[in-house]
C-alpha cells in the first residue's frame, strides 16, 4: 500500500484481539496507535518463568491450532518456539460420586463408561437420529430464538448428561451457569449444527469429515510455546513499529467529524487528557472499557454493564511428585456442581506441556469461583488453599503443603453470553451503523476463546480497511 492510501487508525485495547488488529493494520501499511489502559499488553495471557523452574500461566493454558492460528504463528516466525500438548492430554476426567472417571473418547468407550446410566446412554444414541428442523421452523423467528444452554442440552441429550457432563464443561469454558448462558450465542457452533443437521452428533461427524477432506486433523491440536502463551502477545507487540503502543491510556470519548475522528484519552500516570485525530477507530475493548466511552456526548454502551463477569481465582500449585498419588495422566479434571465441592476443575500443567515444573516436581492449576460459587473466588490465598485441600486430597491424593504456589484473582473473569446477549450485539451493530469509521469487536462480541480473539482482530483490521 502506498503512503498516500494509508490511514491513521487508533486501536483501543491491547489484548490479543487489539494486538492482532494492530499487527495486521501495520502490515497493510497503515499508521497505527494502540492505547491500553493497564501497564502491559497481552490481556489475560500472562506467563511467568521463575528462576527455580516453574512456568506459570495465570490465564489461558493452551491454544487450539486452527489454520488461522498456524498461519499467524508462521508469519511471526514462532514455529521453533511451538510445543504441542502431550499425547496424555487427550484424557479428560470428570468427578462422579467422589471418584475421577475418564471421559469416554469413542462410542464403544461411551457405551461402557460408568459415568452415565443406561437411560442417559440411550438418550444420546437416539439424538443421532434426530431430524432436521422443518423449513418453517428454520424461519427468521427461530433463527433468533434464545434458549439457555441447559435447555438446549436437556432437549437434545436429557437432564443426566446436563448435570454430569455439560454443566462442568460450561464451568471449564465460561465459569458460567448453563441455565443462564445462551445456547445460540455462547455455543454458536453447537447451535448451528442443531439447526442444519437436527442432530448435534451427526453435525459433529460431518464437521470432522469436512476437516479431514481439507487435510486438517479432525480435532485441532492443543499447543503453547516454550515460554508460555504470552510469547504470542509479546511477539505481536514487539513487531509493531516503535512508539505504536501507549500504556496507562484510557480512552474517554470520541467525536465524529467529516471523514475523521477525534479521540480523547487520559494518561493515567499523569492524569493529563490528550486529544488526537484519526481516520478510523478500532475498538477491541472489553465491556468495562466500552461502558463509559462517550461518542459525540452520548453513552451508547452503557447497557453493556448488564453483561455478567463472574470472579475466578486460579491457584497454580507445585508439589514434589511423591506428594500426589494420581498419575496426572491427562489434561485435567472437571467437577460437576452436584458434587458440591470447592473447585471448578484442575489442569495438570506439567503433564500438558513440558518444562512447567522443575525436575522431580509436578504443577497443577486449580480453578475456583465462577458464576455458581463467586464468593469462593474472593477468598484470600490462605483461605483458598485451606478450602480446596480436602478436594485435592480426596480426588488426586495430594499430601502435605505445596512447595510453590501462585494465586491470581480475576475479579471480572469471562464475559457471560447469557440469555438476551443478542441485545448487546444489536447495540454494537447499531453504533457501527450510526458511526461510519468505528469498528467494534473482541470478546464482548466475537467469542471468548483465543482463536476467536485472534480471528476478531483479523476481522477488525479487514473491516477497517475495506
Amino acid at each position: 500500500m502506498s503512503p498516500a492510501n494509508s490511514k491513521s487508525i487508533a486501536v483501543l485495547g491491547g489484548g490479543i484481539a487489539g494486538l492482532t488488529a494492530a499487527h495486521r493494520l501495520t502490515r497493510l501499511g497503515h499508521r497505527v496507535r494502540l492505547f491500553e489502559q493497564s501497564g502491559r499488553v497481552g490481556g489475560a495471557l500472562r506467563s511467568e518463568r521463575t528462576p527455580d523452574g516453574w512456568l506459570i500461566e495465570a490465564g489461558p493454558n493452551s491454544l487450539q491450532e486452527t489454520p488461522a492460528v498456524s498461519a499467524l504463528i508462521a508469519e511471526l516466525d514462532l514455529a521453533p518456539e511451538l510445543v504441542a500438548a502431550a499425547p496424555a492430554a487427550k484424557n479428560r476426567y470428570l468427578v462422579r460420586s467422589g471418584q475421577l472417571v475418564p471421559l469416554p473418547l469413542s462410542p464403544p468407550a461411551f457405551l461402557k463408561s460408568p459415568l452415565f446410566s443406561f437411560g442417559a446412554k440411550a438418550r444420546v444414541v437416539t439424538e443421532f437420529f434426530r431430524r432436521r428442523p422443518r423449513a418453517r421452523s428454520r424461519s427468521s423467528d427461530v433463527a433468533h430464538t434464545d434458549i439457555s444452554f441447559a435447555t438446549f442440552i436437556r432437549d437434545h441429550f436429557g437432564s443426566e448428561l446436563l448435570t454430569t457432563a455439560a454443566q462442568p464443561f460450561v464451568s471449564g469454558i465460561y465459569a458460567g451457569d448453563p441455565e443462564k448462558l445462551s445456547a445460540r450465542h455462547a455455543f454458536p457452533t453447537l447451535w448451528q449444527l442443531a439447526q442444519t443437521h437436527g442432530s448435534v452428533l451427526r453435525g459433529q461427524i460431518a464437521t470432522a469429515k469436512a476437516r479431514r477432506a481439507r487435510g486438517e486433523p479432525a480435532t485441532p491440536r492443543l499447543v503453547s510455546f516454550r515460554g508460555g502463551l504470552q510469547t504470542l502477545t509479546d511477539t505481536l507487540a514487539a513487531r509493531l513499529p516503535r512508539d505504536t503502543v501507549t500504556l496507562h491510556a484510557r480512552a474517554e470519548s470520541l467525536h465524529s467529524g467529516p471523514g475523521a475522528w477525534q479521540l480523547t484519552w487520559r494518561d493515567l500516570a499523569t492524569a493529563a487528557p490528550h486529544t488526537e485525530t484519526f481516520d478510523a477507530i478500532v475498538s477491541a475493548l472489553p465491556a468495562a472499557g466500552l461502558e463509559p466511552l462517550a461518542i459525540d456526548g452520548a453513552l451508547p454502551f452503557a447497557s453493556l454493564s448488564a453483561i455478567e463477569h463472574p470472579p475466578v481465582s486460579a491457584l497454580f500449585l507445585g508439589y514434589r511428585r511423591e506428594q500426589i498419588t494420581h498419575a496426572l495422566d491427562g489434561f485435567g479434571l472437571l467437577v460437576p456442581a452436584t458434587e458440591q465441592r470447592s473447585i471448578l476443575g484442575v489442569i495438570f500443567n506439567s503433564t500438558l506441556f513440558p518444562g512447567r515444573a522443575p525436575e522431580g516436581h509436578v504443577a497443577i492449576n486449580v480453578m475456583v469461583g465462577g458464576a455458581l460459587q463467586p464468593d469462593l473466588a474472593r477468598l484470600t490465598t490462605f483461605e483458598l488453599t485451606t478450602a480446596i485441600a480436602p478436594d485435592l486430597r480426596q480426588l488426586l491424593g495430594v499430601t502435605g503443603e505445596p512447595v510453590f504456589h501462585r494465586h491470581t484473582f480475576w475479579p471480572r473473569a469471562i464475559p457471560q453470553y447469557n440469555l438476551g446477549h443478542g441485545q448487546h450485539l444489536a447495540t454494537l451493530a447499531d453504533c457501527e451503523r450510526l458511526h461510519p469509521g468505528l469498528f467494534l469487536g473482541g470478546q464482548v462480541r466475537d467469542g471468548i476463546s483465543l482463536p476467536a480473539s485472534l480471528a476478531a482482530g483479523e476481522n477488525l483490521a479487514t473491516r477497517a480497511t475495506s
Side-chain angles (χ1 to χ4, degrees):
M1 176 180 293
S2 67
N5 294 328
S6 68
K7 296 179 180 180
S8 61
I9 301 176
V11 175
L12 311 182
I16 184 66
L19 285 170
T20 303
H23 168 75
R24 185 60 58 215
L25 289 167
T26 299
R27 290 287 295 251
L28 292 172
H30 298 287
R31 304 183 306 280
V32 176
R33 288 284 306 282
L34 185 148
F35 299 90
E36 165 58 36
Q37 180 170 324
S38 72
R40 60 178 293 276
V41 294
L45 271 66
R46 299 184 186 178
S47 309
E48 177 191 356
R49 171 78 73 180
T50 68
D52 49 350
W54 303 99
L55 179 56
I56 304 144
E57 295 282 22
N61 281 263
S62 60
L63 170 65
Q64 276 197 329
E65 193 183 24
T66 65
V69 168
S70 296
L72 182 61
I73 288 172
E75 182 180 324
L76 295 173
D77 301 317
L78 284 177
E81 297 300 312
L82 200 66
V83 291
K90 68 181 181 181
N91 299 324
R92 313 289 174 104
Y93 290 94
L94 287 174
V95 178
R96 181 71 182 240
S97 301
Q99 302 295 317
L100 264 63
V101 182
L103 189 67
L105 300 177
S106 67
F110 170 76
L111 293 176
K112 295 178 182 178
S113 174
L115 273 173
F116 311 105
S117 69
F118 175 81
K121 294 173 183 176
R123 182 66 184 271
V124 171
V125 171
T126 59
E127 200 277 343
F128 181 84
F129 301 99
R130 187 182 176 111
R131 294 185 176 183
R132 186 168 59 178
R134 284 185 276 177
R136 186 173 64 180
S137 298
R138 298 196 304 274
S139 67
S140 59
D141 287 342
V142 168
H144 292 85
T145 297
D146 204 7
I147 63 172
S148 73
F149 187 62
T151 298
F152 177 83
I153 293 298
R154 276 193 289 261
D155 182 38
H156 280 263
F157 300 106
S159 296
E160 184 179 329
L161 200 84
L162 169 65
T163 57
T164 303
Q167 182 275 317
F169 168 76
V170 165
S171 290
I173 296 175
Y174 278 92
D177 181 351
E179 299 288 355
K180 295 165 65 176
L181 284 165
S182 162
R184 181 168 180 259
H185 297 296
F187 298 95
T189 300
L190 294 180
W191 175 262
Q192 191 57 42
L193 290 179
Q195 304 311 304
T196 56
H197 295 270
S199 163
V200 172
L201 294 179
R202 284 206 317 276
Q204 289 177 322
I205 292 171
T207 299
K209 287 182 178 178
R211 289 180 59 84
R212 286 193 292 268
R214 296 193 298 267
E216 303 168 18
T219 303
R221 69 173 183 167
L222 294 177
V223 298
S224 184
F225 302 94
R226 298 182 193 279
L229 288 177
Q230 189 178 319
T231 299
L232 179 58
T233 48
D234 283 350
T235 304
L236 284 167
R239 295 293 179 91
L240 296 174
R242 185 179 179 183
D243 298 328
T244 295
V245 176
T246 302
L247 299 176
H248 303 291
R250 183 177 64 212
E252 295 193 335
S253 65
L254 298 171
H255 180 75
S256 59
W261 283 89
Q262 281 189 334
L263 164 66
T264 297
W265 58 277
R266 187 171 299 277
D267 185 332
L268 298 180
T270 65
H274 301 267
T275 299
E276 298 182 41
T277 300
F278 296 92
D279 296 318
I281 305 291
V282 166
S283 171
L285 292 171
L290 281 174
E291 290 165 27
L293 184 65
I295 301 181
D296 295 334
L299 294 173
F301 307 117
S303 62
L304 299 183
S305 62
I307 297 178
E308 182 184 4
H309 293 74
V312 171
S313 272
L315 273 170
F316 180 95
L317 303 176
Y319 296 91
R320 296 184 303 278
R321 185 63 189 90
E322 61 269 19
Q323 288 183 268
I324 300 182
T325 60
H326 192 274
L328 302 181
D329 53 344
F331 182 95
L333 66 91
L334 291 171
V335 183
T338 51
E339 292 289 319
Q340 298 183 326
R341 294 187 177 270
S342 299
I343 62 177
L344 297 175
V346 180
I347 297 172
F348 304 157
N349 294 62
S350 52
T351 300
L352 185 56
F353 296 112
R356 266 45 180 175
E359 185 70 25
H361 294 73
V362 292
I364 61 175
N365 205 39
V366 184
M367 312 306 294
V368 179
L372 297 180
Q373 296 178 306
D375 290 340
L376 283 177
R378 301 186 181 100
L379 296 177
T380 66
T381 303
F382 175 77
E383 291 170 332
L384 264 180
T385 54
T386 301
I388 67 173
D391 290 341
L392 298 182
R393 182 174 61 254
Q394 294 164 18
L395 298 177
L396 296 175
V398 173
T399 59
E401 299 296 320
V403 299
F404 180 90
H405 73 270
R406 184 63 51 83
H407 176 196
T408 304
F409 174 53
W410 299 95
R412 290 171 56 89
I414 302 169
Q416 304 293 291
Y417 293 1
N418 285 340
L419 292 169
H421 188 72
Q423 297 173 3
H424 301 304
L425 299 181
T427 294
L428 299 173
D430 289 344
C431 193
E432 284 186 334
R433 186 167 53 252
L434 291 172
H435 299 287
L438 174 64
F439 304 93
L440 307 167
Q443 276 200 342
V444 72
R445 187 179 197 180
D446 300 309
I448 65 167
S449 70
L450 289 184
S453 294
L454 288 168
E458 297 281 5
N459 185 46
L460 282 167
T462 298
R463 292 198 291 128
T465 55
S466 60

